[in-house]
Amino acid sequence: MAKLVRLFISARQQRLVSLVLGLLLFGLFVAAAALFARHEVVRLLVGESLPVLRPFADRADIAAGTFAALKSDVTAPPCTPEFDRQLRRVAYQPNRFNEFVYAPNGIVECTSSMGRFDPPVALGQPDMPAQGREPAMWVDRGLTFAGLNGLVGTVLHLHPYAIVLPLETVRIDPPGWMAMEVVFVAPSGRWWHRGGTPGVYQRYVASLRQQDGGLDTALRNSVCLLSGRVCVVTEAPLAALLSHGKIYVIASLVAALALAAWLARMARVMIVRRFAFESRFRRHLEAGSIVCVYQPIMHLHSGEIAGCEVLARWRDVDDSIVYPDRFIPLVEQAGLTRSFTRMVAERAHAELIEALPEGRKLMLTFNIFPRDLDAAFLCNVFGIFASASSRFEIGVEIVESNVIEVADAPLQIEALRAAGIRTYIDDFGTGYSNIQNLVALTVDGVKLDRSFAMAATGSVMARMLGHAIDMVRASERTIVVEGVETAERLRQLRAVIPPIDLVQGYFISRPLSAEDFAAFLVRHAEGFHELELVA
Ligand SMILES: Nc1nc2c(ncn2[C@@H]2O[C@H](COP(=O)(O)O[C@H]3[C@@H](O)[C@H](n4cnc5c(=O)[nH]c(N)nc54)O[C@@H]3COP(=O)(O)O)[C@@H](O)[C@H]2O)c(=O)[nH]1
């Protein structure tokens, strides 16, 4: 899941996702357009086929009418002169065929044409046996049996009569982009060309056989009548279609491309909006996504670990850890400062109670938002540590420049002290730090901004470190020097007289998980003596 989410977080991946989406959509639209075009072409093929089939349907109707007339109008005993007269009467009726054969059970006994032959003659096996209302049918049958030597025709037989039809072929003139063939098809699969372009039917049958494999280069269709006996098979080669419909093809491609590009762009905008850091943070800011780390704070001279500063991190939806500089301003903007501080305090409490060795007394300092310098609220939040009050000494850090924006800051600080919560001015020496504020705010301690201790030896900032320490010491507050990154700086701080109280920085330790902090405490139970090791 985290991997999937990561896809949507980085700008490069977002671009890639939108590109892939665009291509997929383009493919989808082209496929949809191709399906629609296929449907339309098949509709046209059917439209061209039906008029070609109509004469065959008409002939079948005439045959049916003729058989009915023979049955009702010919009543004389078979093959008598009267029978012959009656046959001819039917033959002269309008819209009737006129070549009849009396052939009960397929054995020819006499005909209407008076041809010379020696009855009885068996018609033999039909090419298409009678089926439902359809008569049995012989295609291109030699007509010798009816005395019509040398002629061939189609014979229809519906007991006891047979009708002889002349050889029938059709002329068809399809549009240039398609080819057409008319065939008679027997249930056995045998077929007879009746008109159009030879080969179309064969290719159609071949394409049906290989339907599951291979690319067909033409659209094919067949429309059949009379229980599948007469079929019009049509074929539209793709090349002909593309060249015939060039304009439509180009217009469809351009439209598909434009629509896909637009949708992919919209999707990207939505992804960017949804997965922008700000919205991810707002959606997923909850107790479970807060990570606490603990940076040891050391008594400078004894090396004893006095406690730690609790620092918050946020676990992003892709499981990466985000530093506070990115999200603290968002917490403030969203007005979630109080619930955020509560979540940090509760998580730290749960982790430390679990991880720390019993009986170890520690100072814990928390960063609070300036607007939350409210003793009632803070006592309530940090009250969870009260049951373990003998174990933890709670302090809150607040940037001095912001404290002065809280009208009754001195009162709140006093109330906190009364409740056993210490206050520290954080990042002293930056921004609007001012000695008057230091005097007015009765805080317990001052944390010197880390830029002093981190400054290169001999730099202006490094030289100012001593003055900043003097200034804070004059106010009789506890001094914490942050940002101690080197043994040399620690040694320099140890040489300062009168002595500095507490130090914090990467040289002592980076912020640690609760388990690592507990292990750190065990490792340095006798005090932090790395300096001696370095020396
Ligand atoms: N309201 C809240 N603010 C919080 C909370 N957790 C953190 N913060 C504030 O975010 C700022 C950045 O904090 P972070 O990235 O955790 O950095 C801290 C230390 O890692 C860093 N530090 C400590 N020692 C050194 C060092 O030797 N070198 C070095 N380059 N950096 C070091 O300093 C940060 C601690 O700063 P401070 O708070 O001033 O003591 C920071 O401003 C936090 O206040 C929170 O839960 N609530």
Side-chain angles (χ1 to χ4, degrees), residues 176-179 203 217-220 235-244:
W177 51 270
M178 64 179 282
R203 287 194 291 278
T217 51
L219 275 185
R220 298 174 217 279
E235 175 185 79
L238 291 185
L241 281 176
L242 289 177
S243 122
H244 185 74

Side-chain angles (χ1 to χ4, degrees), residues 295 309-313 323-325 328 340-341 344 367-369 397 426-427 447 450 454 482-485 504-507 511:
Q295 188 174 30
E309 177 180 356
V310 180
L311 296 159
R313 310 281 182 259
Y323 283 79
D325 306 25
I328 289 292
F340 181 82
T341 302
V344 172
N367 291 281
I368 61 159
F369 294 88
E397 300 183 14
D426 202 6
D427 300 341
K447 293 183 88 172
R450 60 181 184 267
M454 284 164 59
E482 282 195 87
V484 179
E485 287 190 336
Q504 179 183 344
Y506 287 176
F507 181 69

Side-chain angles (χ1 to χ4, degrees), residues 170-172 174 180-182 193-198 200:
V170 281
R171 268 184 59 79
I172 34 187
M180 190 182 258
E181 184 178 9
V182 185
H193 172 84
R194 293 293 94 166
T197 312
V200 174

